[in-house]
Amino acid sequence: MTLFEILLAVPGGLLLVALAFAVLVMVRPADFAISRETTIAAPPETVFGHIDNLRRWEAWSPWAKLDPAMAQTYDGPPEGVGASHAWNGNNAVGEGKMTVIESVPGERVALRLEFLRPMKVVNRSEFALKPAAAGTVVTWTMTGTNGFMGKAFDLVMNMDRMLGKDFEKGLANLKAVVEGTAKPA
């Protein structure tokens, strides 16, 4: 008989298993970072224009086509600090808002991401652009702090792997759009 089977066999064993799970979740780090990068054969200023203007995300965002009926609104200036995009869609895209909070032409765009559904969280997303011999190295990073539920979810569903795939797809789409070599996936 395994230790787990013994715990379940005794009164309160299930409580001990739940307590052990809770402790495991609580000791996990709260802060997280998910990051992916690609090289795009274009100067940083060209790539920057596709990221800083939130209306241009429709052409490359990995989530843009997941709900054709998604309600979308744009506020503030068309690009740069204060530009925002809100959406409300099906379960694949949820509901939220992103706002440009930092914009350094040809170098960086930082966003405040407010997710309302499926889970209420606020994270930061940043695109860093570095000139390279082959064009521009684009690094897309999202950082944040998980509460208990977020840490428990990450224990079961690895967020780096799950969101990382979306970042990879988005960067591949951005590369195709900027380079003009293919229609985005």
Side-chain angles (χ1 to χ4, degrees):
M1 190 176 264
T2 67
L3 176 61
F4 183 73
E5 291 169 328
I6 293 168
L7 287 174
L8 289 177
V10 299
L14 189 56
L15 180 62
L16 288 175
V17 170
L19 181 60
F21 179 76
V23 169
L24 179 64
V25 170
M26 288 189 303
V27 299
R28 291 181 58 76
D31 294 334
F32 72 90
I34 298 167
S35 189
R36 298 295 188 273
E37 74 176 35
T38 194
T39 301
I40 298 176
E45 297 75 22
T46 301
V47 178
F48 178 82
H50 290 270
I51 299 167
D52 194 48
N53 184 324
L54 301 181
R55 287 177 171 88
R56 295 182 84 179
W57 282 46
E58 181 104 10
W60 62 267
S61 168
W63 304 285
K65 308 288 187 257
L66 295 179
D67 181 4
M70 174 173 47
Q72 300 183 74
T73 58
Y74 295 91
D75 255 337
E79 57 194 31
V81 174
S84 71
H85 172 230
W87 67 92
N88 189 354
N90 61 22
N91 290 338
V93 296
E95 179 180 4
K97 179 180 181 180
M98 64 180 170
T99 305
V100 177
I101 58 172
E102 192 176 343
S103 177
V104 180
E107 291 181 24
R108 181 176 51 258
V109 176
L111 303 144
R112 173 185 166 91
L113 294 174
E114 301 171 73
F115 296 102
L116 302 172
R117 185 174 51 83
M119 216 182 317
K120 285 188 176 190
V121 294
V122 176
N123 295 323
R124 177 185 171 99
S125 187
E126 183 173 311
F127 291 83
L129 310 175
K130 299 284 184 202
T136 303
V137 175
V138 181
T139 305
W140 185 1
T141 303
M142 183 169 70
T143 58
T145 302
N146 281 325
F148 182 85
M149 291 303 291
K151 291 193 288 184
F153 186 78
D154 189 50
L155 189 62
V156 178
M157 298 287 295
N158 184 294
M159 292 301 291
D160 185 79
R161 269 187 261 138
M162 194 167 85
L163 278 176
K165 288 178 186 176
D166 289 338
F167 282 24
E168 290 164 9
K169 181 178 180 183
L171 288 170
N173 289 346
L174 179 62
K175 179 180 176 75
V177 167
V178 172
E179 292 178 356
T181 59
K183 188 174 180 178

